[in-house]
Amino acid sequence: MTSPSGAITTPVLTDADTQDAVLFLRGLVHLRARAADTGGTFALLEHSGERGYMSPLHLHESDEETFLVLDGTLRVEVGDEVRSVGAGGLALLPRGLAHGFVVTSPTARFLTLHTPGGGFDAFVADIGVPFTGGQPSDPGPGPDPAELTRLAAAHGIRIVGPPLQP
């Protein structure tokens, strides 16, 4: 997959039928490129959700997270900054800096790029409910906050605050 320099050396070709999708924190996440696919160089996820789809305030210990909003609007909080990020907008969030997001429009679709990969995509796959197509059903309340915090920590993610509200 990769050389010692981190360059990808083997092509990776997938389509929607070979990519995993999960219901995650009340949103739908397609795992477009897993860290396992890229030799750990990055992971690329596509998120879609309704108003209120959000994350708790958290930080990644070993990867940067980049958001690219495709449709809709997110409120992104990072450090002391709070920004509204609409379609075409980008938010690059450094590792080790607490941040979170919440969908503030009726619906939103966005990509997250994690560099290097290996923590967040595995976390999403571990706690997400497999999605096999059709309309997403209600995934229920999800893991309790203590369990979410424990599972996140196992993947290098520290939850440091409550979920953001729209």
Side-chain angles (χ1 to χ4, degrees), residues 14 18 54 61 65 75 112 116 128:
T14 68
T18 61
M54 55 67 212
E61 294 175 344
E65 183 172 28
R75 187 177 74 244
T112 58

Side-chain angles (χ1 to χ4, degrees), residues 19-37:
Q19 300 164 358
D20 294 328
V22 298
L23 298 173
F24 173 76
L25 300 179
R26 306 194 64 75
L28 176 62
V29 179
H30 289 88
L31 298 133
R32 299 299 187 193
R34 304 277 310 263
D37 299 327

Side-chain angles (χ1 to χ4, degrees), residues 59-65 92-99 115-116:
L59 62 86
H60 302 267
E61 294 175 344
S62 62
D63 62 317
E64 277 76 36
E65 183 172 28
L92 174 58
L93 309 175
R95 70 184 74 186
L97 188 58
H99 63 275
T115 51

Side-chain angles (χ1 to χ4, degrees), residues 50-140:
E50 296 179 350
R51 180 179 170 82
Y53 171 45
M54 55 67 212
S55 71
L57 197 61
H58 66 284
L59 62 86
H60 302 267
E61 294 175 344
S62 62
D63 62 317
E64 277 76 36
E65 183 172 28
T66 302
F67 287 74
L68 176 61
V69 179
L70 302 172
D71 296 303
T73 305
L74 308 178
R75 187 177 74 244
V76 176
E77 298 186 15
V78 57
D80 294 331
E81 284 193 66
V82 178
R83 292 277 179 95
S84 180
V85 182
L90 181 124
L92 174 58
L93 309 175
R95 70 184 74 186
L97 188 58
H99 63 275
F101 77 90
V102 62
V103 173
T104 57
S105 54
T107 62
R109 191 168 64 94
F110 56 96
L111 301 174
T112 58
L113 176 67
H114 304 267
T115 51
F120 187 72
D121 65 315
F123 171 62
V124 169
D126 284 352
I127 73 163
V129 176
F131 177 71
T132 56
Q135 283 294 92
S137 60
D138 185 350

Side-chain angles (χ1 to χ4, degrees), residues 37-56:
D37 299 327
T38 67
T41 57
F42 70 92
L44 180 66
L45 288 70
E46 180 182 343
H47 303 250
S48 56
E50 296 179 350
R51 180 179 170 82
Y53 171 45
M54 55 67 212
S55 71

